[in-house]
Amino acid sequence: MIEIDPTAVDPARLRQAYGCFPSGVTAVCALLDGLPVGLAASSFTSVSVHPPLVSVCIQDTSTTWPRLRGQPRLGVSVLAESHDLACRTLSLKEGDRFAGVDWEASSGGAVFVRGSTAWLDCSVYSEVPAGDHAIVLLTIHGLRAEPEAPPLVFHGSRFRRLAAL
């Protein structure tokens, strides 16, 4: 039997273990005063069909989420494999997160990254505190999907591509 010591959870090793699970990458964005504001989130999950809900996890230290949470509409873009540079730009702590990112906005103020595999027009349903993050549940009001577009995959602290078997 393998013994695991639950009291010996080193944060660096925990991040490494979390990185063993491949995930897609999303951009959560909206217009504020006519300008796009957004962040990248790799902790995205489908939650429910009835009602249509998804979730993203946002770090408590985010300075962007407090600006986005009160917006009537948020655009969630499921990034495509060609968006690795856009993802890095959207993850910046300082500077123009939309430099070189091709985007468009809905009439409701949701911002979407062009060329994404899916666009979800959302609003905040609820937030649940969870450790050093918030689990944000989002209601989907509209969507566009391009299922043939390969997704951006994040695994082991690197972007990767899917291969068909």
Side-chain angles (χ1 to χ4, degrees), residues 35-110:
L35 297 173
V37 174
L39 52 83
S42 62
S43 54
F44 169 82
T45 306
S46 58
V47 174
S48 172
V49 173
H50 300 289
L53 298 172
V54 295
S55 70
V56 293
C57 294
I58 308 290
Q59 277 187 321
D60 291 341
T61 57
S62 172
T63 57
T64 305
W65 179 242
R67 299 173 63 205
L68 290 172
R69 76 166 32 109
Q71 298 308 304
R73 285 292 203 264
L74 299 171
V76 176
S77 301
V78 179
L79 300 180
E81 71 180 13
S82 62
H83 287 130
D84 54 327
L85 292 177
C87 182
R88 290 188 194 286
T89 303
L90 286 163
S91 298
L92 293 174
K93 298 289 182 202
E94 296 179 12
D96 181 2
R97 289 187 179 175
F98 286 84
V101 176
D102 194 14
W103 61 274
E104 62 184 87
S106 72
S107 59

Side-chain angles (χ1 to χ4, degrees), residues 13 17 63 82 88 91 94 122 125 127-128 139 155-156 160:
R13 295 212 14 120
T63 57
S82 62
R88 290 188 194 286
S91 298
E94 296 179 12
C122 300
Y125 179 80
E127 280 187 60
V128 179
T139 301
H155 175 259
R160 300 183 188 258

